[in-house]
Amino acid sequence: MRIFKTFVALALGVGIAATAVSHSSAWGHQQKEIKLPEMGDTLSGLMSPEKEKLLGDIWLRMFRAQAPTLTDSMLYEYAKEQINKLAVHSELTDKHIELVIVNDTSINAFAVPGGVMGINAGLFLAAQTEAEFNSVVGHEIAHLSQRHYIRSLQKQKQQSIPMLAAMLASIMIAATADGDAGMAAMMASQAAALESKLKFSRQNEQEADRIGLRTLSAAGYDPQSMGDMFERMHRAYRYYGKRPPEYLLTHPLTENRISDARLRARSLPASDKRDSETYQLMRTRAQYLTEKNHGMAVQRFRAELEGDGEHKTAIKYGLGLAYIGIRDWERAQTIVSELTQAEPNNQVFKHAQAYLYAEQERYEESNQIINQTLSQGSGHSLAFSVLHAENLMAMGKYTDSLRILDRLIRYNQKNEHLWYLKAEVSGLAGNILEVHKARAEYFLLLGALDQSIKHLRLALKLAQDNYIERSRIQARLESTMKMMRDLQQL
């Protein structure tokens, strides 16, 4: 049974056979200023935070199966750091937010009930500064903290999970509009009806602007950046023909709304915080990751480097990545060396050097940089550690690679890429039991509960002589089957 089919049937009233995307078809699964009164009691009567969390978790699994996502550890780590930085200053009760980065260059970001946030790579490309980027993040956090989706249900007096499922399905449609053509075609007839459910009311948007602006300012960013970002997105409208950016469909911008953001920002403390160089590097990284043709990326970055634009260091970083992409080792090394010599403590540049060595199969040299960097206890530990595990896998040091992956998974249990890597390394190490266990978790995160159950049952057979292991697998199998039953009952 495809769990996504059940979920969309709740929203649309029809069964849709969906195709999901996986890393490897060899796995036998094709996947292509006025605070409002506290509304806790009333909203909890409509839907408890626990059930809201469950639905958000289900939606995230479905989304990963359908949307083209970016699993780049460095970009993810940076975006998650920004979310956490703002969440601390927000009105969220539970400040933990799950993040998914969409491999799409359109301007979009969205928040899903239960503490899920999606950010398109296109938001990095559109936001010119870290403050502008975080103005959108702060706005989305405000939607979560004020539980706007649930309040929308309350207003409509549609006290049912299927109604919320329709809203979540409309986010799926918007976020995958440029993705799988088959899915888009199947849902096209439903999109118009669902789109209206996705839009928040004008009052909710104003509230998210106001609260998001306070959050942005409390985190130390220039509150005027929200108006700057709104104006930038509003101007982008003209370049999209009849269809505006997805973010403007779900968060309509008006001249009054932009003016309100400007006016409210004046009442908040100004910030002298300079733009982050790391953000500019991540913008460039997003450009590189979303460019399908590395040769074209080389041409674009070279043209930008020769132009009169700003952020030359970031552009040079992008050019270095592009040269690695086309395997021009000499030019790549020249650029990476220039960057690391100019800023020897820059973690992003150190990672680029380690990555370059890894691509050249110079794993010992790559690991030396990684170990030195991690021993200093500085940032980007996830990105360095993942690269380390991949290097060790390529070197045939499977036990060491698995040790790193197990540690990372302990703190990143919902990172599907880590589970994918663990399954691959376990297979190379000949540990078939761990292969099935890891694949079960991987497919579970992608919403493929049927595949997860299949692998758990295979693991159960292999663990017959190990009572403790068998008990753990049995418990996981029962909880997964319960999840499937709960979904069917929503």
Side-chain angles (χ1 to χ4, degrees):
M1 184 201 88
R2 299 294 297 124
I3 191 169
F4 176 73
K5 180 176 177 181
T6 303
F7 181 79
V8 176
L10 283 170
L12 306 182
V14 295
I16 296 177
T19 303
V21 184
S22 90
H23 291 275
S24 173
S25 59
W27 286 15
H29 182 68
Q30 295 181 343
Q31 295 185 299
K32 215 181 140 81
E33 258 87 299
I34 301 174
K35 183 175 179 180
L36 294 184
E38 188 65 47
M39 302 191 64
D41 292 339
T42 305
L43 294 182
S44 295
L46 179 62
M47 179 182 292
S48 69
E50 292 74 21
K51 185 162 287 187
E52 190 179 341
K53 195 85 172 176
L54 171 63
L55 199 59
D57 183 62
I58 292 170
W59 182 90
L60 180 57
R61 297 175 195 275
M62 303 307 101
F63 186 85
R64 283 182 176 138
Q66 296 303 317
T69 60
L70 282 175
T71 58
D72 180 74
S73 298
M74 182 166 285
L75 198 65
Y76 172 88
E77 198 170 23
Y78 173 81
K80 194 70 164 63
E81 180 184 343
Q82 300 311 302
I83 291 173
N84 292 341
K85 190 186 301 182
L86 271 76
V88 168
H89 299 281
S90 75
E91 296 181 10
L92 281 170
T93 302
D94 181 356
K95 300 186 186 300
H96 177 74
I97 298 175
E98 293 293 338
L99 168 67
V100 58
I101 300 180
V102 188
N103 189 2
D104 192 302
T105 57
S106 61
I107 307 171
N108 200 16
F110 47 88
V112 175
V116 177
M117 185 181 296
I119 295 175
N120 278 27
L123 183 60
F124 283 95
L125 310 186
Q128 301 297 301
T129 66
E130 186 175 76
E132 289 185 8
F133 178 86
N134 280 334
S135 72
V136 176
V137 173
H139 179 95
E140 295 304 321
I141 289 176
H143 279 311
L144 291 175
S145 70
Q146 304 308 304
R147 300 183 71 191
H148 282 159
Y149 279 104
I150 307 304
R151 285 164 60 179
S152 296
L153 294 189
Q154 184 184 52
K155 183 177 180 180
Q156 296 174 35
K157 298 182 180 180
Q158 295 286 342
Q159 300 187 17
S160 64
I161 290 180
M163 184 67 184
L164 182 56
M167 290 183 178
L168 302 190
S170 64
I171 298 176
M172 184 83 77
I173 292 170
T176 59
D178 297 324
D180 184 76
M183 179 185 176
M186 286 187 289
M187 290 187 166
S189 62
Q190 306 293 335
L194 291 176
E195 188 174 285
S196 64
K197 295 182 178 65
L198 178 59
K199 292 179 181 176
F200 292 119
S201 70
R202 182 176 300 177
Q203 180 182 357
N204 285 346
E205 283 300 319
Q206 290 174 340
E207 183 180 28
D209 289 350
R210 183 173 65 250
I211 295 174
L213 198 58
R214 287 208 306 262
T215 300
L216 185 69
S217 178
Y221 292 97
D222 183 3
Q224 287 292 345
S225 60
M226 179 175 282
D228 293 342
M229 189 62 193
F230 283 175
E231 285 189 359
R232 196 178 306 284
M233 288 189 288
H234 195 60
R235 288 197 302 269
Y237 192 112
R238 73 189 70 170
Y239 300 111
Y240 281 73
K242 294 181 179 179
R243 183 178 177 84
E246 298 298 342
Y247 197 81
L248 297 192
L249 284 176
T250 58
H251 301 71
L253 288 175
T254 64
E255 294 292 344
N256 285 340
R257 189 173 165 201
I258 295 172
S259 297
D260 285 346
R262 292 285 192 204
L263 185 61
R264 292 183 190 281
R266 291 175 194 162
S267 66
L268 295 170
S271 172
D272 57 359
K273 187 174 185 177
R274 298 179 60 185
D275 186 35
S276 163
E277 181 189 44
T278 302
Y279 176 72
Q280 297 304 328
L281 296 175
M282 292 303 102
R283 284 191 72 217
T284 304
R285 190 174 183 86
Q287 289 177 326
Y288 169 72
L289 292 170
T290 54
E291 177 61 72
K292 296 178 182 179
N293 187 313
H294 293 156
M296 292 294 294
V298 169
Q299 294 181 29
R300 186 180 72 246
F301 287 130
R302 286 179 64 177
E304 290 180 6
L305 201 57
E306 294 168 1
D308 298 325
E310 298 179 283
H311 311 302
K312 296 295 186 180
T313 299
I315 297 170
K316 183 180 287 190
Y317 169 66
L319 182 58
L321 292 178
Y323 277 136
I324 295 174
I326 64 172
R327 306 181 74 79
D328 188 336
W329 307 133
E330 185 176 353
R331 286 190 174 93
Q333 184 60 67
T334 297
I335 289 178
V336 173
S337 294
E338 290 176 357
L339 293 171
T340 53
Q341 287 171 14
E343 298 184 47
N345 296 321
N346 189 304
Q347 306 299 305
V348 177
F349 299 155
K350 285 186 177 182
H351 184 274
Q353 181 65 79
Y355 175 63
L356 172 57
Y357 283 151
E359 289 296 290
Q360 294 175 287
E361 299 183 7
R362 297 163 63 180
Y363 300 117
E364 292 289 358
E365 293 168 275
S366 178
N367 289 342
Q368 186 176 359
I369 294 173
I370 293 169
N371 288 326
Q372 180 185 32
T373 306
L374 291 176
S375 68
Q376 296 171 353
S378 45
H380 303 295
S381 61
L382 177 62
F384 279 100
S385 296
V386 169
L387 181 57
H388 196 192
E390 292 171 339
N391 286 347
L392 292 169
M393 176 177 66
M395 297 169 71
K397 298 183 177 182
Y398 306 128
T399 301
D400 293 337
S401 180
L402 286 170
R403 187 180 296 114
I404 292 173
L405 290 172
D406 285 339
R407 175 175 55 80
L408 292 177
I409 287 171
R410 193 177 306 125
Y411 300 104
N412 303 273
Q413 294 187 3
K414 293 186 178 182
N415 187 315
E416 75 275 20
H417 183 60
L418 294 178
W419 286 109
Y420 171 79
L421 284 176
K422 181 172 182 177
E424 293 293 289
V425 179
S426 297
L428 292 169
N431 191 334
I432 307 306
L433 172 60
E434 289 298 322
V435 170
H436 289 305
K437 287 170 59 182
R439 287 182 179 177
E441 297 300 325
Y442 171 79
F443 285 124
L444 183 61
L445 288 172
L446 263 65
L449 268 65
D450 51 348
Q451 291 292 320
S452 180
I453 289 170
K454 184 185 89 171
H455 283 287
L456 285 170
R457 284 173 172 162
L458 290 170
L460 201 57
K461 290 180 181 180
L462 293 172
Q464 287 182 352
D465 299 330
N466 188 328
Y467 174 77
I468 295 177
E469 189 68 82
R470 183 178 175 82
S471 297
R472 290 172 178 166
I473 298 171
Q474 182 66 45
R476 192 57 167 161
L477 176 60
E478 290 174 1
S479 68
T480 304
M481 295 177 69
K482 182 180 184 301
M483 187 183 299
M484 180 176 282
R485 291 193 300 270
D486 289 343
L487 179 63
Q488 293 169 335
Q489 293 172 5
L490 289 180

